Amino acid sequence: MIGVCISGGGAKIGFAVGVLEVMQEKGINIDLSYGISSGSICTAALCYADVAFLKEILLSIEKRDDVLKSQWYKVFWTLLSGKGKADGWYEMDTMRRKLDLLPREEPRIKGVVGYVKLKSGEIVYKSSKQTAKKEFLDAVQASCSIPAFMQSQRVGDDCYVDGGVRDVLPLKALIGDDLKVDEIHVICLSPLSPAPAKALNNIKDVALHSIDLLVNEVFQNDYNTLVRINKLLAQKQSLDKELRAWLDKKRYIRAFPYVPAKAVCDTTDFQRDKIQAGIDHGREIALRVLIRYPDLPPESAPTPK
């Protein structure tokens, strides 16, 4: 069983598309996909369409307004009057209309996406196999709602927001899934040492770059833990009894990491040329990682911090 785990990253989603394209060309059939934020969009496409459909939709975007439209005037009115519910710089209706274009009514694979209930701080994972398509796409929309930047999903007196607030790369959740995959492809949309694609000139740039740092920090911690457990499992018989007992609850998982070598764009740079550049870079990295597939890549762990 093969799983894929895809982090958030906004317009950097092109990188994931490039990786998924190469995986498909290599005959790697995905059984399970976990995604947060942009990764949740990829997961929805894997469930209800395919990589080619997602690529077509993304490359139809010419400018940011084609997917994220500003609602600053509504936010200003809400702050000034205390009325209204606008709580994000960009509305989500345009993005949702693109999600609703996904053609299949039943999922091809099991997909899981996460969002956070802001009042309680609880992270909720929704599975395509346990919910109707509309409810699953509602979860995807919530998973993409970066607080203060994108409009939250209002449910009663609660707000549902980006799952990255609690779990920006759902690798642990994927490993614990009932399908118990034995091969995982981990797609991180930000470089390990992310240099911003442009100068940090305002509060939005600072906040989005901080998210990039969080993504790669979680990736390095969780992925390196997986690699260390694999190494311990290979040496299990030579370890002490207590450690062997702990390892009895673990399983060996083949892991393939995909990490950008450079920053192609920023989180809100939704432009066709930027997305295409991300796709091209994703293909470049995937071809390098999968050069010996199904053997493990030459480097099975990310660069140490």
Side-chain angles (χ1 to χ4, degrees):
M1 299 286 279
I2 296 176
V4 62
C5 180
I6 311 172
S7 80
K12 299 170 190 174
I13 189 174
F15 180 82
V17 172
V19 172
L20 293 169
E21 269 192 337
V22 174
M23 288 177 63
Q24 183 175 282
E25 292 164 9
K26 293 281 187 178
I28 301 172
N29 297 314
I30 297 168
D31 302 291
L32 173 65
S33 178
Y34 269 67
I36 293 291
S37 196
S38 302
S40 73
I41 295 175
C42 295
T43 295
L46 291 171
C47 288
Y48 296 104
D50 53 32
V51 179
F53 187 88
L54 175 60
K55 181 178 179 179
E56 180 182 347
I57 291 295
L58 290 174
L59 291 180
S60 70
I61 297 171
E62 295 184 0
K63 57 187 185 302
R64 182 185 299 158
D65 280 358
D66 291 342
V67 65
L68 293 175
K69 288 188 177 179
S70 173
Q71 58 172 12
W72 65 266
Y73 52 92
K74 292 182 180 179
V75 173
F76 182 75
W77 169 251
T78 298
L79 290 172
L80 191 65
S81 68
K83 301 176 182 179
K85 296 184 177 181
D87 57 22
W89 194 259
Y90 300 107
E91 50 90 354
M92 296 292 289
D93 295 343
T94 308
M95 180 180 291
R96 179 52 186 262
R97 284 193 290 271
K98 292 188 180 297
L99 285 174
D100 288 336
L101 295 174
L102 296 172
R104 295 179 62 95
E105 289 303 316
E106 298 297 326
R108 297 166 53 248
I109 66 167
K110 179 179 180 181
V112 180
V113 301
Y115 62 86
V116 170
K117 293 182 176 181
L118 205 53
K119 284 186 70 175
S120 66
E122 174 192 5
I123 186 164
V124 178
Y125 295 102
K126 287 288 185 180
S127 167
S128 62
K129 293 293 188 180
Q130 297 174 341
T131 58
K133 180 182 179 182
K134 181 184 181 303
E135 184 180 352
F136 186 77
L137 295 184
D138 287 345
V140 172
Q141 179 178 335
S143 186
C144 292
S145 300
I146 303 174
F149 289 94
M150 282 80 162
Q151 174 67 34
S152 70
Q153 190 171 33
R154 296 290 185 125
V155 178
D157 61 350
D158 206 347
C159 300
Y160 295 175
V161 299
D162 191 342
V165 170
R166 295 297 301 270
D167 190 5
V168 74
L169 181 75
L171 181 55
K172 292 178 181 176
L174 188 154
I175 291 172
D177 190 273
D178 291 342
L179 287 186
K180 297 190 180 303
V181 298
D182 50 23
E183 179 176 310
I184 294 178
H185 296 257
V186 188
I187 306 174
C188 181
L189 301 190
S190 296
L192 288 182
S193 299
K198 60 185 179 183
L200 305 177
N201 293 321
N202 53 54
I203 189 171
K204 183 191 79 169
D205 294 340
V206 170
L208 292 177
H209 186 58
S210 298
I211 293 171
D212 288 343
L213 293 173
L214 176 61
V215 169
N216 79 66
E217 178 74 14
V218 172
F219 172 77
Q220 291 182 75
N221 288 341
D222 289 359
Y223 187 83
N224 281 329
T225 297
L226 171 59
V227 170
R228 292 189 189 103
I229 290 174
N230 282 345
K231 290 180 178 178
L232 286 173
L233 286 167
Q235 305 166 18
K236 184 176 178 181
Q237 296 309 314
S238 64
L239 302 175
D240 63 61
K241 183 178 180 181
E242 184 176 345
L243 190 50
R244 288 201 307 271
W246 179 76
L247 285 171
D248 283 339
K249 302 174 184 178
K250 308 296 180 181
R251 69 186 188 279
Y252 181 82
I253 301 174
R254 288 158 45 82
F256 296 81
Y258 307 85
V259 186
K262 59 186 178 182
V264 173
C265 67
D266 285 330
T267 302
T268 58
D269 284 342
F270 281 98
Q271 301 171 47
R272 182 183 299 161
D273 60 334
K274 299 283 189 180
I275 293 170
Q276 183 63 64
I279 293 171
D280 294 341
H281 189 47
R283 290 187 58 86
E284 174 191 355
I285 296 297
L287 287 168
R288 188 183 307 165
V289 170
L290 297 173
I291 191 170
R292 301 175 185 172
Y293 188 83
D295 293 336
L296 288 172
E299 296 181 3
S300 58
T303 305
K305 292 183 286 184

